[in-house]
Amino acid sequence: MLPRCLRASYLLAISLTISMIVLGVGLQSSASAMASGSAAAGSAKSAPGQSAMTTVSTQAQLVSAITAATPGTTISLNSGTYFGGLTIRKSGTQAQPIVLQPAGNGPVTLSSNLTMPSCNASSPDTDRTVEFGNGASYWTLQGLNIVGGIDIYGGNSLAAHLWFSNLLKSGDWQTRRAVPGRGTNDPIAAQNAVAYVGNQIGTALTPADGIQILNDVITRVGIHVSMGRYGVISGTQITDIACGTGPGVWFGTYSDGWTIDNNTVSNIASSTFKHYMQEGIRIDGASSYNLIEDNTVSDLPGDGRAFTTDQDGSYNTFVHNIAQNVSIGFNDEMSGWGNDWEYNTVTGYRAAGFAFRMMDGPLLTPSMNSSTYQSTIRCNSASGTGDDLKVGASKSSGFASNMFQSIAMGKNIRSYWGSQGNTWDGSSTVPAKVVTGNLAGC
């Protein structure tokens, strides 16, 4: 893992490389994304090249401005509440995104009349105040209060979701990992993932690229992304989320390459279904190559888990995040490959500080279909009332220089720990149940 001082430059270099090559890799993307010369917005947080300014004062004017907007348009909202929701189907470009922002004369709120789901709902509620649909790309929302959340989804993303879900159910990890950038750590190859899946299922897929959510306040319902890529969520407060609507932030179905930094997520109401409906920041559905940095997730009741990967969420980087007053702080669930967990802190956890595929505890050896694989867990710290670290099954993963003391292992992992390539502070010897934590070398 690169030192933090070099990491930003490294990630920027990857983003620039992707931008330069993307015209040659045959991405399925929106026409506007192709016209921009790149399908990877990376972590840019500016809106360069703006060419038109429209100022609005009413919901009707706002809807009309969105309808008329072209790449480079900035829509400035005079102070007030805009009620009725926004459905967005057109795109800006990477060089000229379309921007929604306050005019500067007072706070701006976007709201709508949502029908709220029951607290035992088993999937995220997609009825949200702002909807980027069918692959709408390259928009920036900044400085807004959004009551009712944001939904971002690519064109025909449901078809991709169903294809992937069927492979999960059948345990066909080989086909899942044949998708570009899923079987090895290769963010450049991953640019082809959506197009590859579209070819497999015979359906044209259009990802939603380059959506930026900057310095907003989001309440009641959080952010849900399905087949959205290379966007940014930064400086945003997500809080007081209603039960049954889903996590504060949820990335699913090949949602790659996001930068999620300097956000706060708190008070996700307890779901009566399962933990994934009340998490802080969740990455699943083979979503990969995301940077989750300098975020704080706190005050999650029940089985609320602060930061989670699941269902092939792989090659994601979690660094310098904080979890407070949650059930589990950092949770690598089903088939997380190559996830990087470094310099994270959890305090006040109730069940575990860090947990790695506990459901695979009964397995005699780790499973390529479901177990943690090739993860790096380094320079983290945990304190709470359960176990600092729980590991059910793991293969080829390295644990080093963590401030962990209480270690809980699955039924069989202690017998195969070293033979399956796992290390503890550089040694193949399995750690004891109680160790002396240290941050040496961090």
Side-chain angles (χ1 to χ4, degrees):
M1 179 67 186
L2 290 172
R4 191 184 184 197
C5 61
L6 298 178
R7 188 179 300 113
S9 297
Y10 172 72
L11 291 168
L12 179 58
I14 289 177
S15 177
L16 291 173
T17 301
I18 289 170
S19 294
M20 288 187 289
I21 71 164
V22 73
L23 282 179
V25 297
L27 281 173
Q28 287 281 356
S29 187
S30 64
S32 60
M34 294 299 289
S36 75
S38 174
S43 58
K45 298 179 187 177
S46 62
Q50 302 307 310
S51 59
M53 177 78 74
T54 299
T55 301
V56 301
S57 299
T58 68
Q59 175 73 7
Q61 290 173 354
L62 175 56
V63 171
S64 294
I66 290 173
T67 301
T70 59
T73 298
T74 293
I75 303 171
S76 294
L77 288 72
N78 282 317
S79 176
T81 296
Y82 296 76
F83 190 88
L86 301 176
T87 301
I88 297 171
R89 293 290 185 271
K90 60 171 49 184
S91 298
T93 67
Q94 181 181 353
Q96 292 187 302
I98 301 170
V99 178
L100 291 181
Q101 64 182 24
N105 55 6
V108 172
T109 298
L110 305 180
S111 186
S112 60
N113 185 20
L114 302 177
T115 300
M116 303 306 290
S118 67
C119 289
N120 66 354
S122 60
S123 61
D125 183 24
T126 57
D127 185 15
R128 307 196 182 207
T129 293
V130 180
E131 177 188 305
F132 294 96
N134 294 342
S137 298
Y138 299 111
W139 284 74
T140 298
L141 273 61
Q142 57 188 12
L144 304 170
N145 300 316
I146 302 173
V147 180
I150 301 171
D151 192 26
I152 301 167
Y153 60 91
N156 291 322
S157 62
L158 179 58
H161 168 76
L162 293 175
W163 179 79
F164 176 77
S165 296
N166 287 332
L167 294 174
L168 278 179
K169 291 175 184 177
S170 65
D172 185 357
W173 66 270
Q174 294 93 339
T175 300
R176 300 189 329 250
R177 295 295 177 176
V179 176
R182 309 306 123 167
T184 59
N185 189 343
D186 191 341
I188 294 176
Q191 301 291 313
N192 283 315
V194 170
Y196 175 93
V197 172
N199 288 334
Q200 293 298 301
I201 62 180
T203 300
L205 304 177
T206 306
D209 287 342
I211 304 295
Q212 299 190 82
I213 301 167
L214 310 179
N215 303 312
D216 299 300
V217 176
I218 297 175
T219 55
R220 199 178 187 198
V221 186
I223 301 170
H224 177 253
V225 183
S226 180
M227 214 170 73
R229 310 178 307 171
Y230 309 109
V232 177
I233 302 173
S234 183
T236 291
Q237 180 183 0
I238 302 163
T239 190
D240 297 328
I241 303 303
C243 67
T245 62
V249 182
W250 188 334
F251 296 95
T253 312
Y254 302 103
S255 292
D256 289 359
W258 285 76
T259 296
I260 307 104
D261 68 353
N262 293 288
N263 304 289
T264 61
V265 181
S266 62
N267 298 312
I268 313 297
S270 183
S271 168
T272 57
F273 188 65
K274 294 182 179 179
H275 64 85
Y276 66 77
M277 287 296 291
Q278 58 183 77
E279 294 177 335
I281 298 175
R282 177 180 177 84
I283 298 176
D284 70 10
S287 299
S288 304
Y289 306 103
N290 298 290
L291 172 64
I292 304 91
E293 182 173 25
D294 288 316
N295 302 283
T296 298
V297 175
S298 65
D299 301 315
L300 305 185
D303 196 21
R305 305 174 186 189
F307 299 87
T308 294
T309 66
D310 200 358
Q311 298 178 341
D312 293 5
S314 300
Y315 311 115
N316 299 290
T317 298
F318 293 79
V319 61
H320 290 283
N321 298 290
I322 296 172
Q324 301 171 326
N325 188 25
V326 298
S327 178
I328 298 175
F330 299 85
N331 191 26
D332 196 77
E333 293 192 282
M334 182 180 179
S335 54
W337 287 21
N339 288 315
D340 196 350
W341 310 82
E342 301 197 39
Y343 296 94
N344 300 293
T345 301
V346 54
T347 58
Y349 69 80
R350 298 185 294 276
F354 290 72
F356 294 84
R357 193 48 182 174
M358 287 304 296
M359 286 184 66
D360 283 358
L363 299 181
L364 294 176
T365 58
S367 165
M368 299 297 283
N369 177 59
S370 59
S371 301
T372 294
Y373 178 52
Q374 291 184 335
S375 287
T376 299
I377 303 94
R378 177 176 173 270
C379 299
N380 303 287
S381 62
S383 62
T385 57
D387 292 297
D388 292 347
L389 173 66
K390 291 185 175 182
V391 185
S394 177
K395 179 180 176 67
S396 302
S397 295
F399 297 75
S401 301
N402 296 291
M403 188 59 70
F404 300 154
Q405 298 185 67
S406 174
I407 313 297
M409 295 281 187
K411 180 179 179 181
N412 295 304
I413 190 172
R414 291 186 177 277
S415 65
Y416 68 69
W417 174 268
S419 66
Q420 291 293 326
N422 299 299
T423 59
W424 186 270
D425 289 336
S427 170
S428 60
T429 302
V430 65
K433 294 181 179 180
V434 178
V435 300
T436 300
N438 72 86
L439 296 174
C442 297

